[in-house]
Structure formats: C-alpha cells, structure tokens
Amino acid sequence: MVTIDIFKDEENTESFSAGQTIFKEGEPGELMYVVQQGEVDILAKGQLIEAIGPGGVLGEMALLDASARSATAVAKTDCKLVPLDARRFQIHVHHTPYFAIQVMRVMADRLRRMTQQLS
C-alpha cells in the first residue's frame, strides 16, 4: 500500500478515539486527512472497504471534486490525523509536487484493489 510520510512529524493534528466517526458518507467534505498514528476503517454502504494506517490518506476525493463523501471513516483505534483543507492541500502540491503524485498513487492503488474485488 502506498503511504505518505511527509506528515509524520506534523504537530497540527486531530485526535479521534477508537469507534469515533471522522466523517460520514453523503456529508459534504472540506478536509482530507493523513493518518499519523493509529488505524481508520473506511466503510461504503456499511461494508468495510479498507483499513488505513500511518501514512495513509482518507477524504482526498472531497478536495478534488467537491462532491459529498463517498464513504464513512471510523477510527479503528485511537488515532492522530493531520487535517488538510483545500488551501493547505494546494500549497503542498505547489511546494512539494511529489506529494500530488503520492496522493494519485494512493487513489490508483485503491481503484486497482476495488476493481480486483469486483472480478
């Protein structure tokens, strides 16, 4: 699985307790998150799609297409997440172009795994 490590020492984090909902399917999304510590479950239509650990990203689609959340994110364990709004995302893409490539790789990896599950 592709991970992003440039936020491993970031101090601006949000903490979530195990079982706490981070965001819900259908809600508007204004933030994406990078998992700094812990693990987050991603569920679509109530089914577990993926568990995301340190260096993983979630909620990135909301920043790219301004659509409602396509899945629900729930803290599997106590976790620390680095929130990125659209402005901060764009700054990172501008100053660290490799960050954008990493996010695209995460999305491509997810799409490939989901396509394999349908086969």
Side-chain angles (χ1 to χ4, degrees):
M1 180 177 291
V2 179
T3 60
I4 297 174
D5 62 356
I6 62 173
F7 298 99
K8 66 182 179 206
D9 297 320
E10 174 70 37
E11 293 181 13
N12 177 30
T13 62
E14 292 183 18
S15 296
F16 295 88
S17 300
Q20 187 175 357
T21 299
I22 299 160
F23 56 76
K24 290 183 182 178
E25 189 172 349
E27 290 180 340
E30 296 177 359
L31 296 172
M32 71 172 278
Y33 298 92
V34 179
V35 179
Q36 190 179 71
Q37 295 175 7
E39 205 168 14
V40 176
D41 282 339
I42 304 298
L43 303 107
K45 297 184 180 17
Q47 281 196 307
L48 179 65
I49 301 297
E50 176 176 20
I52 301 174
V57 298
L58 54 142
E60 71 286 347
M61 287 176 26
L63 295 186
L64 298 173
D65 68 2
S67 294
R69 299 283 190 193
S70 62
T72 296
V74 178
K76 183 175 186 174
T77 64
D78 291 348
C79 56
K80 279 189 179 180
L81 308 180
V82 177
L84 297 171
D85 61 13
R87 182 179 167 279
R88 193 163 175 216
F89 175 80
Q90 290 170 355
I91 289 169
H92 278 286
V93 168
H94 179 74
H95 291 290
T96 314
Y98 186 68
F99 170 67
I101 292 170
Q102 288 179 302
V103 171
M104 288 187 283
R105 285 184 176 155
V106 167
M107 294 176 73
D109 181 58
R110 282 194 186 135
L111 181 59
R112 287 184 192 281
R113 282 186 285 113
M114 299 213 37
T115 301
Q116 287 175 346
Q117 289 177 358
L118 295 173
S119 300

